[in-house]
Amino acid sequence: MPARSQSHTPTDYAKLADDIKRLAREQGFQQAGIADLDLGIAGERLRTWLARGLHGSMDWMAAHGAKRWRPDLLLSGTVRVISVRMDYLAPNSKLVARLREPDKAYISRYATGRDYHKLVRKRLAALAKKIDDLYPGTVIQRPFVDSAPVMEKPLAEKAGLGWIGKNTLLLNARAGSWFFLGELFTSLPLPVDNPTEKNSCGKCRACLKVCPTNAFPEPYVLDARRCISYLTIENKDSIPLEFRAAIGNRVFGCDDCQTICPWNRYARPTSEPDFRPRHQLDDSQLTDLFLWTEQEFLDNTAGSPIRRIGYLRWLRNLAVGLGNAPYSQRVIAALTARAQHPSAMVREHVQWALAQHGHSSAPTVA
């Protein structure tokens, strides 16, 4: 079949945009929208945020220059971005209940199942293939899922998928914020979607008040250096003493500012099997996870976002959780078993945890 010309009428593109949104839903996305490339305001906000040093050690946030707010520099020929969202919250997630069980590990709900990057990217690639089948060989396209300098939340906001809330997450009046975002850059000059959801945070400050480490210096601004997700995932060094007690039993990320958000009463559980919890990661004792061998860690986190922090940071985080857990002989025994760990970072956090329970990690002298 010969390649079709791209000399379409606006009506053709309007129909194509509708077809793309239908195809996106068929791929398992709950919503899709189309944005132009004007990210000037978002780019300026990013530069101000970086200048304040609020990104901590995430130097990659400052890399790539204008590619973050100029999608056409990231993929030459791009004129539109198709933004999609996919719900991920599993049924019966017991968010608050797990936080109230300090002897159990709280893992951010996006990470208890399979890694979303591969699944969402695969679905976006399938969507791109459907579009290419309609216009073979004539469309420049590339999918992105949190894997390149893409300002996904501002793009999603422009595409009508919601508004960026005071907790800096994208909120949707019909779906809350428990969803992943993905983007398909395209050279098709599709009609753009006007944002239909106005900022509806109003006077609510629940997310700002609930943050255990006061990571929001002001509404709509996150100080990553104080954020538990940053401290337990992105941070490669020791967790600062001032935050350890506040972290509680959160050993990989934090969902507090989502859990408290009133708009999440409208969130719907996912039907994606891959997002269901694996290896009981939504209901595990801190001590059990802490005593995993490195091979058990690798086996049980295969295909999981958790694996990216590595075994040593996993032990670091769990040691902090155990330091905050109720006193028990089981907790002391688990910590003592790691007291002479080869990693100085792990030993430091184990020593802190034991001290929280009135114990020393120093070996007993006969």
Side-chain angles (χ1 to χ4, degrees), residues 62-255:
H64 307 291
K67 287 183 179 179
R68 286 196 178 274
W69 55 89
R70 285 283 308 277
D72 56 317
L73 296 181
L74 186 58
L75 179 65
S76 180
T78 300
V79 297
R80 295 287 187 268
V81 174
I82 301 167
S83 181
V84 298
R85 67 172 182 85
M86 181 180 286
D87 297 339
Y88 69 79
L89 187 65
N92 303 314
S93 290
K94 299 181 180 178
L95 302 159
V96 176
R98 197 62 68 239
L99 284 173
R100 290 176 177 171
E101 296 177 284
D103 57 335
K104 292 189 175 181
Y106 186 91
I107 294 173
S108 185
R109 280 352 193 201
Y110 84 87
T112 56
R114 289 190 178 276
D115 193 336
Y116 68 95
H117 293 86
K118 294 180 180 179
L119 186 146
V120 177
R121 185 180 176 85
K122 181 178 179 180
R123 301 289 179 84
L124 276 173
L127 175 60
K129 177 66 168 57
K130 295 283 187 181
I131 297 172
D132 193 59
D133 287 343
L134 296 174
Y135 300 94
T138 64
V139 184
I140 299 171
Q141 299 182 106
R142 183 178 172 186
F144 294 96
V145 184
D146 195 24
S147 57
V150 177
M151 302 188 76
E152 57 181 15
K153 287 181 287 187
L155 284 167
E157 186 176 46
K158 288 179 68 70
L161 271 56
W163 73 92
I164 297 176
K166 291 179 182 178
N167 61 3
T168 74
L169 299 176
L170 191 78
L171 306 180
N172 184 293
R174 296 175 300 281
S177 62
W178 301 102
F179 49 76
F180 298 123
L181 295 173
E183 300 77 39
L184 181 62
F185 285 23
T186 181
S187 61
L188 289 168
L190 302 165
V192 300
D193 290 300
N194 295 318
T196 56
E197 293 199 16
K198 66 178 182 178
N199 187 316
S200 299
C201 287
K203 296 181 179 180
C204 180
R205 296 176 61 87
C207 60
L208 310 181
K209 293 178 180 179
V210 79
C211 179
T213 52
N214 297 311
F216 298 102
E218 59 196 77
Y220 308 104
V221 177
L222 172 70
D223 185 345
R225 299 168 299 181
R226 303 183 65 89
C227 176
I228 293 176
S229 288
Y230 169 84
L231 293 168
T232 58
I233 301 173
E234 301 296 342
N235 170 42
K236 295 180 174 61
D237 301 317
S238 296
I239 294 174
L241 283 169
E242 63 179 300
F243 301 124
R244 293 182 190 178
I247 285 174
N249 61 343
R250 302 167 185 83
V251 302
F252 188 93
C254 177
D255 292 323

